[in-house]
Amino acid sequence: MGEIVKLMPRSKRIALIAHDNCKAEMLEWAGFNRGTLSGHELYATGTTGALLANELGLEVNRFFSGPLGGDQQVGAAIAEGRIDFLIFFWDPLEPQPHDVDVKALLRIAVVCNVPTACNRATADFILSSPLTAEEYQRPDPVYPDADASGGSVALASS
């Protein structure tokens, strides 16, 4: 079985997502960090991606809007090893029509051991870490096997 993620390059592939009530904060944070973000490959869901590209003047690869499958696309990209970081300013106080997709995205980010920030402070710490500018090998996560053998399996991709 292969590893779920290969060596993360110096230039990270960063997914940026913000719920409606958090878009202004995402734009402010991204503007403040524009210089650092410009050295990385940026991805975002729908409207957030358009706003970021316009505000930053940087290329932002766009997925669909979150409620239209964008969160699932980001989750798939994480599972396939195509996203290195997830910066997701989600609104914990507002119900979302796609809450199950949000939960699935956060779950796969944890399962795949992807650095994930759900608020500005954590995003600041992740982006300012010396590891962000270096190659980094994420260890394979190991979870208990679901069968009765009692062993464990490393998650892997085909």
Side-chain angles (χ1 to χ4, degrees):
M1 291 186 141
E3 294 178 358
I4 207 167
V5 177
K6 295 181 171 78
L7 182 70
M8 277 197 270
R10 289 181 188 274
S11 177
K12 305 298 185 281
R13 297 160 297 181
I14 303 173
L16 304 160
I17 304 173
H19 284 161
D20 289 345
N21 291 341
C22 302
K23 288 189 189 321
E25 184 177 22
M26 173 65 80
L27 290 173
E28 184 180 315
W29 175 83
F32 180 79
N33 289 290
R34 185 194 182 284
T36 303
L37 290 171
S38 68
H40 301 282
E41 195 172 334
L42 305 179
Y43 294 82
T45 51
T47 306
T48 303
L51 292 169
L52 287 166
N54 186 51
E55 180 80 16
L56 302 176
L58 298 174
E59 181 181 344
V60 178
N61 302 289
R62 291 175 56 197
F63 294 103
F64 294 149
S65 173
L68 300 178
D71 293 341
Q72 292 178 343
Q73 289 179 305
V74 174
I78 288 171
E80 294 167 355
R82 296 184 289 119
I83 295 292
D84 299 313
F85 287 2
L86 174 61
I87 309 296
F88 187 1
F89 289 3
W90 63 282
D91 187 349
L93 302 178
E94 186 72 28
Q96 301 295 324
H98 62 300
D99 273 338
V100 294
D101 297 338
V102 170
K103 184 175 181 180
L105 172 58
L106 293 172
R107 179 178 35 253
I108 199 67
V110 170
V111 166
C112 292
N113 211 12
V114 168
T116 302
C118 294
N119 59 49
R120 187 172 181 156
T122 307
D124 285 339
F125 276 89
I126 288 174
L127 201 62
S128 65
S129 168
L131 296 174
T132 299
E134 299 174 6
E135 289 183 340
Y136 178 78
Q137 178 63 52
R138 238 184 344 249
D140 277 341
V142 178
Y143 289 89
D145 192 352
D147 70 20
S149 70
S152 62
V153 294
L155 298 176
S157 60
S158 322

